[in-house]
Amino acid sequence: MTSMQVVLPDGKKLELEAGATGSDVAAAIGPGLARAARGIRVNGQLADLFSTVPEGAEVAILTDRDPEVTNLGRHTLAHVTAQAVREYLAAEGHDPAAVKMGIGPVIENGFYYDFDLPRNLVPGDLPEIEKRMRRIVKDDLKLRRYSLPREEALDRYRRLGDPYKEELISDLPADAPITFYEQGGEDGFTDLCRGPHVPSTGLVPKHFRLMSLAGAYWRGDETRPMLQRVYGVAFNTKEELEQYEWQLEEARKRDHRKLGRELDLFTFADDVGPGLPLFFPRGEIMRHEMETYVRDIQTRYGYEHVWTGHVVREELYEKSGHIENYAGDMFPALEDGETRFRLKPMNCPSHMTLFNQRHHSYRDLPLRYAEFATLYRYEKSGELSGLTRVRALTQDDAHIFCTEEQIKEEFGLALRLIRETLDTYGMTDYYVQLSLRGEEGKYVDDDEKWSRATQALRDALEAEGVDYLEAYGEAAFYGPKADFMAKDALGREWQLSTIQVDFIQPARLQCEYIAEDGSKRTPVVIHRAVTGSTERFMGVMIEHFAGDLPLWLAPEQVRVVPISDRHRAAAEKLVQRFTDAGLRTGLADEGERMNAAVRDAELLKIPYIAIIGDREIEEGTVSFRSRQEDAQNGVDVDAFTRHLQESSRTRTLTVKPLGS
Amino acid sequence: MTSMQVVLPDGKKLELEAGATGSDVAAAIGPGLARAARGIRVNGQLADLFSTVPEGAEVAILTDRDPEVTNLGRHTLAHVTAQAVREYLAAEGHDPAAVKMGIGPVIENGFYYDFDLPRNLVPGDLPEIEKRMRRIVKDDLKLRRYSLPREEALDRYRRLGDPYKEELISDLPADAPITFYEQGGEDGFTDLCRGPHVPSTGLVPKHFRLMSLAGAYWRGDETRPMLQRVYGVAFNTKEELEQYEWQLEEARKRDHRKLGRELDLFTFADDVGPGLPLFFPRGEIMRHEMETYVRDIQTRYGYEHVWTGHVVREELYEKSGHIENYAGDMFPALEDGETRFRLKPMNCPSHMTLFNQRHHSYRDLPLRYAEFATLYRYEKSGELSGLTRVRALTQDDAHIFCTEEQIKEEFGLALRLIRETLDTYGMTDYYVQLSLRGEEGKYVDDDEKWSRATQALRDALEAEGVDYLEAYGEAAFYGPKADFMAKDALGREWQLSTIQVDFIQPARLQCEYIAEDGSKRTPVVIHRAVTGSTERFMGVMIEHFAGDLPLWLAPEQVRVVPISDRHRAAAEKLVQRFTDAGLRTGLADEGERMNAAVRDAELLKIPYIAIIGDREIEEGTVSFRSRQEDAQNGVDVDAFTRHLQESSRTRTLTVKPLGS
């Protein structure tokens, strides 16, 4: 028996027998830790106690205090769900072999499992399945992990008549281990699974709930069978589950699709097609204001805007590598028999083409090209959702052409721009996920360049004081990247802004500049999006503000309501006065009674309602109600106008009350 | 012999023999008019003296005083060119039968003729051909018009081995007359031609010139043979020809493709494709300013902006009739095996779809939807030209949904909006072509509706005091329209703005509103474009201003140049001050000498150059040079800033000099 060494988080080395598992490491450290151990981290990757650890690995033992353990337990809960569904249907008299299974992964807050079942589940089944799940958890069934040779594994599922698992195995690389997790012994439940899991069903997060059912195509492919997906959530505390359920309920009320209808912002039409939103005048104002804001801030930060349209010849995407790597996400080609065109799924090749239309010297760098171009991505129709998942997305996209030495400064500048933007929208709770290369070979192999860039990014994040997490192995193949994960008013996390360093594409598209020494060099390109896409961010903001948009974003900022018909002429004058002051102003419908007019304005969540009657006309004042501050009567019209202008101009979220 | 009547312009009726021609009418009026007659107008249509006039027709005799006669003569000059080319090549020893001919129509200012020749013509040939043309004109050859039965006509060209004329005849409808014009008797020159012409070669506009040669595909089809096109211009006076030639020379200097390169505005790239322009930062600012201006003015005129993207399902264009009538101008479909999508060639069906997403009552009308959407039209690559003929065009498009009664007011409002816009650009010399229905059957047959709408348009034009010409038979099939024909600084005429009444499409797309009486009605839709397309108007404006853009449109409005390096810090402060004041400001390159920096700014035609040295720093002043007013030294910085702000804000063309 040979021995091996692993390295612990404190740097200590531990001597173990070759082939030792996570459990063995924990046991070697001490019996207390062995009992508390739920999983391990090996060379930065999450793994379970069943996994063997390689020679020389850095190993950390994870306990309930480590947040990653929750996801191990959620994964195990997916298996518990599958076992419970099988038992539940068997109890109804269905053949357990008729319960076939797709995949059951961990997702945010929980997990799901896809089934091909002898009958369709309905929401009423979920509490019954949950009961069985609680029993399985209570039984604290031990998990066991084992591998089988490929033929034996295939044979098992062929015998069971389960085509899904058989297909999954067939698609594994020839040298991949084929592992199974068994819970409750041979009579319990066994699933083809890569792991990782907690060591027993008693160690899952205790506060779980099956939330919903949905149809899901096998492997997301619309031409394959439709499976039944069971969604569940799971948390370690009752409070977390309650918070989640509150959030869900609140989100239902704030649903941007519902508010989009009520506030007359946008729509979808069958005649135009799924995922292709149409914006009514009110929605167009909101998106225009959002883009104007980003345009302003980009100009202030030294970006230049360009325009490159929506269609390019397919050859460009062959050069850039998009046809090879990204064709599945693109709209089909437009072909006229001679030329093939594509709708742009991203701007980078176009911006690099524009860059190449001029000779550049190092003195021109950094060059920051920004564009609000609508991009077209062929999301599967089943995955489309309101504005947050569309096929037409207008990115606030930029590409920064710079030297390697400029990466840190440009990255820092982009960080500041993004922070300022998110702050403006009140998205102040965020962190950056810094995605770095892992150990695997999918990355370009200039080690030096990668580590210099990684360090530059870390330095910039430190210098800007931005919280960040490092995610190994999550980098794009072309370079490291930083994604902003921001929490909205409901505490939901959205991936919005992104900054990505690219060492590859500029060379593929032969971008170059003349360096100070006269040599030709390839610039680094930094891809950067501030809010991501206008459409998606608009959806997020509608929910974040629950439709109560800040004054600067509100399509109609103030609505004038005359107390009675004889005040209408004065009301019209007031509308003109506000309009001339640059405020987006509406007027109550003719003949509408004041209370009805006020209610109409409230339904549209118009920030200010300016009421005008005898007293106001006489005094040259206005009385207002507002969603943003306390109502006031008899306010000087000029003071009121300036107050709104100021609040709109400064894009403030918290209005300083008038007269305070 | 039976007799017939025609009606003269003064309302008198004239008795003639049946089958009388234009000449006969002129002769019947009097011998003086018979001598002066050059052509006729029959029921509003231009025709020649050879044409027979139908019973009851309104007939006007045209003489040299009528401007339309010039085009008759230009047409005859095309035949003269063909005769001269054939003689010229025969004199070289070529077989006259090897000189084959396509078509030879009248175009603006002149004509062209397409040939398939035994050798390629070169520019040096043109003066020689012109000499022969002058001889043919001097000989004053009489023209003769005659018809042949189809088979005989076909046989003639089969014998001559001329496939082009043979094809033209084959494509004529079975009942169409097949007419020929012969000049100089049987030994002269004969051409298959519909006419109309002047009665002899001596009556063409005397001041003509063959201008250029070009390749042109037979029938504009890239798969057919390439012919040689000879372009000519012809005018009645020497002054007109000289003006035209000056214009041409000036246009060459102002060519927007040349200026676009020099001023760093836009480019085209092979990788992206022909007709798909890319805008550099300076060009993007110009287009953005143009769109912002139209957006502002549209908002002021009560338009609302919407957003409908660039892609729709093909079904929508089947409903709207575009697939049937317009498919040849559209980009090919995007097809994923299930759904077919199309790039939008126009916004109307999308705006009507958006309209249909809500219920409307008469109280909602007029509803004015405007959008700056980039439209895609698949112009033939041979017809693309800089920005003035592109495949991606961003229209400042609007659709006004209104009742029939509102047509006059809405049309008037659109007229005012367009006038204000054209005035802002200094395009003050324009008239409107009011295109009305002719007699033919291509129009929808609600006579009442048409005549009411026509009268509403006339009334609005009169009320606004806009010059207009009526063009019978030029209306779209869906309704009458008004096109603004505006002259640029060179006197060239451009068709820019358009207002079109549509009685058809709203019904096809089932648009409706509830009328005051509770019934469902179909709204009228008025299509309206202000500058036409941003790209094309930008091309026109670059040439109109010869690149010297007014301050508000200039990508860089002021460039700060320090007198020497030690003034650089002060220059940078000045840049910041101007930028904070909202002026687009640049700074001379570091280390560049003042004179070189000034020259650089002049090459980019930057309107103001602000120079700063010891004296200016000490005094808090600036010295400036300008393309728009006289240079001044030692001007107070605040006064200078306000001066530029004011001139930019008011979008003025003629700057009132500072201090005046």
Side-chain angles (χ1 to χ4, degrees):
Chain A
M1 184 105 25
T2 56
S3 74
M4 57 175 248
Q5 257 190 356
V6 298
V7 185
L8 299 181
D10 59 5
K12 278 194 193 137
K13 286 179 180 149
L14 194 67
E15 205 71 34
L16 291 162
E17 281 176 14
T21 64
S23 294
D24 297 335
V25 177
I29 299 172
L33 191 59
R35 273 192 306 277
R38 300 289 179 261
I40 56 172
R41 182 176 288 289
V42 186
N43 292 330
Q45 304 280 355
L46 192 63
D48 62 27
L49 294 172
F50 307 112
S51 314
T52 52
V53 290
E55 161 70 26
E58 293 179 15
V59 178
I61 305 294
L62 304 176
T63 70
D64 281 337
R65 278 183 309 210
D66 293 292
E68 302 96 315
V69 167
T70 306
N71 276 343
L72 294 183
R74 285 172 177 153
H75 194 179
T76 306
L77 259 177
H79 285 208
V80 171
T81 307
Q83 181 176 354
V85 166
R86 199 172 65 182
E87 288 179 9
Y88 175 63
L89 290 174
E92 272 186 3
H94 291 286
D95 178 3
V99 174
K100 300 191 175 84
M101 290 163 202
I103 56 165
V106 170
I107 54 175
E108 201 187 350
N109 298 315
F111 58 89
Y112 67 77
Y113 214 110
D114 286 345
F115 298 98
D116 181 350
L117 299 177
R119 75 158 172 93
N120 278 343
L121 294 177
V122 294
D125 294 317
L126 298 182
E128 295 303 312
I129 298 168
E130 252 182 55
K131 266 189 211 159
R132 286 178 187 268
M133 288 171 69
R134 291 191 203 289
R135 205 257 307 136
I136 296 165
V137 169
K138 205 168 161 221
D139 289 351
D140 194 20
L141 308 176
K142 297 283 165 284
L143 270 70
R144 182 171 78 87
R145 180 183 197 256
Y146 61 92
S147 303
L148 285 184
R150 172 178 291 252
E151 261 320 304
E152 206 172 314
L154 281 172
D155 195 49
R156 163 181 294 188
Y157 285 111
R158 272 187 213 122
R159 268 186 296 114
L160 286 169
D162 186 330
Y164 307 109
K165 298 291 183 186
E166 194 186 328
E167 181 176 332
L168 291 175
I169 295 170
S170 303
D171 288 356
L172 287 174
D175 57 349
I178 296 165
T179 56
F180 294 83
Y181 282 80
E182 175 192 279
Q183 57 202 37
E186 284 187 16
D187 298 335
F189 174 81
T190 302
D191 201 0
L192 171 76
C193 180
R194 207 173 50 172
H197 284 277
V198 289
S200 76
T201 60
L203 297 172
V204 299
K206 292 298 183 309
H207 303 272
F208 59 84
R209 183 147 303 165
L210 297 184
M211 299 302 292
S212 60
L213 293 161
Y217 291 107
W218 169 236
R219 308 197 103 168
D221 179 343
E222 293 166 48
T223 65
R224 310 293 305 270
M226 167 84 86
L227 304 182
Q228 296 184 61
R229 179 170 294 176
V230 179
Y231 280 103
V233 294
F235 300 94
N236 293 310
T237 67
K238 191 163 165 252
E239 291 68 35
E240 283 173 291
L241 179 59
E242 283 171 356
Q243 160 75 11
Y244 175 82
E245 288 180 329
W246 168 81
Q247 213 178 54
L248 207 68
E249 177 53 27
E250 186 62 25
R252 221 170 264 138
K253 283 190 232 157
R254 296 174 174 229
D255 188 325
H256 74 279
R257 292 164 299 186
K258 179 172 159 284
L259 285 171
R261 228 177 4 254
E262 291 168 6
L263 305 183
D264 230 1
L265 298 174
F266 65 90
T267 187
F268 291 88
D270 285 346
D271 277 350
V272 170
L276 298 168
L278 305 173
F279 292 83
F280 288 115
R282 287 176 189 275
E284 200 275 346
I285 290 174
M286 183 177 171
R287 54 177 296 153
H288 184 72
E289 288 299 320
M290 289 170 58
E291 288 183 12
T292 301
Y293 170 56
V294 176
R295 187 181 173 97
D296 285 355
I297 194 172
Q298 284 184 156
T299 302
R300 188 146 50 77
Y301 276 76
Y303 287 73
E304 300 182 287
H305 294 85
V306 297
W307 192 97
T308 64
H310 312 89
V311 177
V312 306
R313 289 175 57 186
E314 190 174 82
E315 280 92 332
L316 182 59
Y317 295 130
E318 275 159 14
K319 284 192 204 170
S320 69
H322 285 96
I323 289 295
E324 196 183 324
N325 298 311
Y326 200 74
D329 293 307
M330 291 162 75
F331 266 68
L334 299 94
E335 178 158 11
D336 77 343
E338 214 176 300
T339 318
R340 283 168 69 90
F341 294 95
R342 289 284 193 162
L343 286 178
K344 274 165 54 181
M346 32 187 67
N347 289 314
C348 17
S350 297
H351 289 183
M352 292 179 196
T353 301
L354 197 62
F355 180 88
N356 288 345
Q357 295 281 310
R358 288 281 184 272
H359 292 289
H360 294 283
S361 97
Y362 67 96
R363 282 193 212 91
D364 302 336
L365 306 185
L367 194 63
R368 309 180 191 96
Y369 280 167
E371 180 168 12
F372 298 95
T374 304
L375 306 176
Y376 286 86
R377 296 185 185 170
Y378 208 50
E379 304 281 350
K380 293 198 179 72
S381 56
E383 289 172 5
L384 299 171
S385 168
L387 291 182
T388 47
R389 198 76 176 262
V390 284
R391 285 176 169 175
L393 53 147
T394 309
Q395 276 200 339
D396 50 6
D397 202 12
H399 294 96
I400 301 152
F401 298 81
C402 64
T403 66
E404 217 191 298
E405 294 69 38
Q406 291 168 332
I407 292 177
K408 180 182 162 191
E409 198 178 325
E410 287 305 311
F411 185 77
L413 189 76
L415 282 177
R416 285 199 293 283
L417 190 160
I418 290 170
R419 297 190 69 165
E420 186 176 334
T421 307
L422 294 180
D423 283 0
T424 300
Y425 285 101
M427 301 286 276
T428 46
D429 185 2
Y430 49 76
Y431 67 91
V432 162
Q433 175 174 311
L434 183 60
S435 296
L436 304 174
R437 68 195 297 192
E439 296 305 308
E440 285 153 51
K442 69 169 174 166
Y443 303 97
V444 284
D445 49 12
D446 190 335
D447 274 344
E448 279 284 302
K449 207 187 245 181
W450 270 81
S451 41
R452 281 196 304 266
T454 302
Q455 198 50 47
L457 266 45
R458 277 198 199 102
D459 290 350
L461 283 160
E462 305 275 353
E464 300 301 325
V466 178
D467 287 339
Y468 69 102
L469 288 181
E470 300 196 348
Y472 285 88
E474 294 291 312
F477 73 94
Y478 48 78
K481 63 174 181 163
D483 294 312
F484 273 71
M485 314 300 288
K487 279 196 178 144
D488 67 13
L490 292 188
R492 292 171 306 176
E493 203 168 275
W494 298 93
Q495 199 251 290
L496 298 171
S497 326
T498 185
I499 314 176
Q500 313 190 351
V501 178
D502 187 345
F503 295 127
I504 300 292
Q505 224 185 126
R508 288 191 75 140
L509 290 179
Q510 299 174 298
C511 298
E512 57 182 37
Y513 68 95
I514 306 296
E516 204 160 355
D517 63 5
S519 66
K520 283 185 184 169
R521 296 268 178 83
T522 303
V524 174
V525 164
I526 300 177
H527 308 250
R528 192 238 56 190
V530 187
T531 61
S533 97
T534 302
E535 290 79 8
R536 181 162 174 272
F537 196 71
M538 198 168 152
V540 173
M541 284 303 105
I542 291 169
E543 301 192 0
H544 175 60
F545 292 117
D548 262 318
L549 301 175
L551 192 67
W552 70 275
L553 265 187
E556 184 175 338
Q557 298 175 308
V558 53
R559 176 164 294 188
V560 178
V561 175
I563 290 183
S564 82
D565 263 358
R566 72 197 145 86
H567 307 117
R568 192 157 184 92
E572 281 168 0
K573 263 198 206 156
L574 205 55
V575 168
Q576 194 56 53
R577 189 155 167 190
F578 292 154
T579 303
D580 291 346
L583 298 170
R584 295 185 290 271
T585 312
L587 177 61
D589 282 346
E590 202 161 352
E592 201 180 23
R593 296 167 65 96
M594 181 178 124
N595 286 344
V598 166
R599 202 190 50 234
D600 281 357
E602 279 170 350
L603 285 175
L604 285 170
K605 298 184 189 268
I606 297 169
Y608 286 85
I609 302 174
I611 296 166
I612 182 163
D614 289 333
R615 186 186 141 196
E616 286 82 3
I617 293 172
E618 195 176 310
E619 291 176 348
T621 62
V622 69
S623 297
F624 72 81
R625 301 194 192 175
S626 168
R627 307 180 73 80
Q628 320 207 330
E629 59 181 302
D630 290 339
Q632 288 190 45
N633 291 333
V635 176
D636 176 69
V637 172
D638 278 340
F640 178 73
T641 307
R642 277 196 307 273
H643 178 56
L644 267 59
Q645 282 180 310
E646 186 61 13
S647 150
S648 183
R649 190 187 62 76
T650 55
R651 299 190 171 97
T652 185
L653 285 176
T654 330
V655 179
K656 200 176 131 210
L658 181 60
S660 70
Chain B
M1 187 107 25
T2 57
S3 73
M4 59 176 243
Q5 258 191 354
V6 299
V7 184
L8 299 180
D10 58 6
K12 281 197 194 136
K13 287 179 180 150
L14 196 65
E15 204 71 32
L16 291 162
E17 283 177 11
T21 63
S23 293
D24 297 335
V25 178
I29 299 173
L33 191 60
R35 274 191 305 276
R38 300 290 179 259
I40 56 172
R41 181 175 289 289
V42 187
N43 292 329
Q45 305 279 351
L46 192 63
D48 61 30
L49 293 173
F50 308 111
S51 315
T52 53
V53 291
E55 160 70 26
E58 294 179 16
V59 178
I61 306 295
L62 304 176
T63 69
D64 282 337
R65 278 183 308 212
D66 293 292
E68 303 96 315
V69 168
T70 306
N71 277 342
L72 294 183
R74 283 172 178 155
H75 195 179
T76 307
L77 259 178
H79 285 206
V80 171
T81 307
Q83 180 176 356
V85 165
R86 198 173 65 182
E87 289 179 9
Y88 175 63
L89 289 174
E92 270 186 4
H94 291 286
D95 178 3
V99 174
K100 300 192 176 82
M101 291 165 202
I103 56 165
V106 170
I107 54 175
E108 200 187 351
N109 297 315
F111 58 88
Y112 67 77
Y113 214 111
D114 286 345
F115 299 97
D116 181 350
L117 299 176
R119 75 159 171 91
N120 278 342
L121 294 177
V122 294
D125 294 317
L126 299 182
E128 295 302 315
I129 297 168
E130 251 181 54
K131 264 189 212 158
R132 286 177 186 269
M133 289 170 69
R134 290 189 205 289
R135 205 254 309 131
I136 296 165
V137 169
K138 205 168 160 222
D139 289 351
D140 193 20
L141 308 176
K142 296 282 166 284
L143 270 71
R144 182 171 79 87
R145 182 183 194 253
Y146 61 91
S147 304
L148 285 183
R150 173 177 290 252
E151 263 319 303
E152 206 173 314
L154 281 172
D155 195 50
R156 165 182 293 187
Y157 285 112
R158 275 190 210 118
R159 270 185 294 113
L160 286 169
D162 186 331
Y164 306 109
K165 298 291 183 185
E166 194 186 328
E167 181 176 331
L168 290 174
I169 296 170
S170 305
D171 288 357
L172 286 175
D175 57 349
I178 297 166
T179 56
F180 293 83
Y181 282 79
E182 175 191 279
Q183 59 204 34
E186 284 187 14
D187 298 336
F189 174 80
T190 302
D191 201 0
L192 171 77
C193 181
R194 207 173 47 174
H197 284 277
V198 289
S200 75
T201 60
L203 297 171
V204 300
K206 294 297 185 309
H207 302 273
F208 59 83
R209 183 148 302 164
L210 295 184
M211 299 301 293
S212 60
L213 293 161
Y217 291 107
W218 170 235
R219 311 195 99 170
D221 179 343
E222 293 168 47
T223 66
R224 311 292 305 270
M226 168 83 87
L227 304 182
Q228 295 184 62
R229 178 169 294 176
V230 179
Y231 280 103
V233 294
F235 301 93
N236 294 309
T237 67
K238 190 162 167 252
E239 291 66 35
E240 284 174 291
L241 179 59
E242 281 172 359
Q243 161 75 11
Y244 176 83
E245 288 180 328
W246 167 82
Q247 214 178 54
L248 207 70
E249 176 54 28
E250 187 61 26
R252 218 169 266 137
K253 281 190 231 155
R254 293 170 176 232
D255 187 325
H256 74 279
R257 292 164 298 187
K258 178 173 159 281
L259 284 171
R261 228 177 4 255
E262 291 168 7
L263 305 183
D264 231 358
L265 299 174
F266 64 90
T267 185
F268 291 88
D270 286 345
D271 277 349
V272 170
L276 298 168
L278 305 172
F279 291 83
F280 289 115
R282 288 177 188 273
E284 201 277 342
I285 290 175
M286 184 176 171
R287 56 176 295 152
H288 183 73
E289 289 299 321
M290 289 171 59
E291 288 184 10
T292 300
Y293 169 57
V294 176
R295 186 182 174 94
D296 286 355
I297 194 170
Q298 285 185 155
T299 302
R300 188 145 50 75
Y301 275 75
Y303 287 73
E304 302 184 286
H305 294 87
V306 298
W307 192 98
T308 64
H310 311 88
V311 177
V312 307
R313 288 175 59 189
E314 192 173 81
E315 280 91 333
L316 181 59
Y317 295 130
E318 276 158 14
K319 285 192 202 171
S320 69
H322 285 96
I323 290 294
E324 196 184 321
N325 298 310
Y326 200 75
D329 293 306
M330 292 164 73
F331 266 70
L334 298 95
E335 178 159 11
D336 78 342
E338 214 175 301
T339 317
R340 283 167 69 89
F341 294 94
R342 288 284 191 162
L343 287 178
K344 275 165 55 182
M346 32 187 68
N347 289 313
C348 17
S350 297
H351 290 183
M352 293 181 195
T353 300
L354 197 62
F355 181 88
N356 288 345
Q357 294 281 307
R358 289 282 184 272
H359 293 288
H360 295 283
S361 97
Y362 68 96
R363 282 193 212 89
D364 301 338
L365 306 185
L367 194 64
R368 309 180 191 94
Y369 280 168
E371 179 167 13
F372 298 95
T374 304
L375 305 176
Y376 286 86
R377 297 185 184 169
Y378 207 50
E379 304 280 350
K380 295 199 178 73
S381 55
E383 288 171 6
L384 299 170
S385 168
L387 292 182
T388 47
R389 197 76 176 261
V390 286
R391 286 177 168 174
L393 52 147
T394 309
Q395 276 200 339
D396 49 8
D397 202 10
H399 293 95
I400 301 152
F401 298 81
C402 64
T403 67
E404 217 193 300
E405 295 69 40
Q406 291 168 331
I407 292 177
K408 181 181 161 191
E409 198 178 325
E410 287 305 311
F411 185 77
L413 189 76
L415 282 178
R416 284 199 293 283
L417 190 160
I418 290 171
R419 297 187 70 165
E420 187 176 333
T421 307
L422 294 180
D423 283 358
T424 301
Y425 286 102
M427 301 285 276
T428 46
D429 186 0
Y430 48 76
Y431 66 92
V432 162
Q433 174 173 314
L434 183 60
S435 297
L436 304 174
R437 68 196 298 197
E439 295 305 305
E440 285 154 51
K442 67 171 175 165
Y443 304 97
V444 283
D445 48 12
D446 189 334
D447 274 343
E448 279 283 302
K449 206 186 244 179
W450 270 83
S451 42
R452 281 197 303 268
T454 302
Q455 197 50 47
L457 267 45
R458 278 199 198 102
D459 290 350
L461 283 160
E462 305 276 351
E464 299 301 326
V466 178
D467 286 338
Y468 69 102
L469 288 182
E470 300 196 347
Y472 286 87
E474 294 291 312
F477 73 95
Y478 47 78
K481 62 173 182 164
D483 295 311
F484 272 72
M485 314 299 289
K487 279 195 177 146
D488 68 10
L490 293 188
R492 292 172 305 177
E493 202 168 277
W494 299 92
Q495 198 252 290
L496 299 169
S497 325
T498 186
I499 314 176
Q500 315 190 350
V501 178
D502 188 345
F503 295 126
I504 300 290
Q505 224 185 129
R508 290 192 74 137
L509 291 179
Q510 298 174 294
C511 298
E512 58 183 37
Y513 69 94
I514 306 296
E516 205 160 355
D517 63 5
S519 66
K520 283 186 183 171
R521 298 267 177 85
T522 304
V524 174
V525 165
I526 300 177
H527 308 252
R528 194 239 54 193
V530 188
T531 61
S533 97
T534 302
E535 291 77 8
R536 181 159 173 274
F537 196 72
M538 197 169 155
V540 173
M541 283 304 106
I542 292 168
E543 301 192 0
H544 174 61
F545 292 117
D548 263 317
L549 300 175
L551 191 67
W552 70 276
L553 266 187
E556 184 174 338
Q557 300 176 305
V558 53
R559 177 164 295 187
V560 178
V561 175
I563 290 183
S564 81
D565 264 358
R566 72 197 147 82
H567 308 116
R568 193 158 183 91
E572 281 168 359
K573 262 197 205 157
L574 204 55
V575 168
Q576 194 56 52
R577 191 156 165 187
F578 291 153
T579 303
D580 290 345
L583 297 170
R584 296 185 290 271
T585 312
L587 178 61
D589 283 345
E590 200 161 353
E592 200 180 23
R593 295 167 66 97
M594 180 179 125
N595 286 345
V598 167
R599 202 191 49 235
D600 281 357
E602 280 170 350
L603 285 174
L604 286 169
K605 299 184 189 273
I606 297 168
Y608 286 86
I609 302 174
I611 296 167
I612 183 163
D614 288 335
R615 187 187 139 196
E616 285 81 5
I617 293 172
E618 196 175 307
E619 291 175 350
T621 62
V622 68
S623 297
F624 72 82
R625 301 194 191 177
S626 168
R627 307 179 74 79
Q628 321 208 329
E629 59 180 303
D630 289 341
Q632 289 191 44
N633 291 333
V635 175
D636 175 68
V637 172
D638 279 340
F640 178 74
T641 306
R642 277 196 307 274
H643 178 56
L644 267 58
Q645 280 179 312
E646 187 60 12
S647 149
S648 182
R649 190 186 62 76
T650 55
R651 299 190 170 99
T652 185
L653 286 176
T654 330
V655 180
K656 198 176 131 207
L658 182 59
S660 69

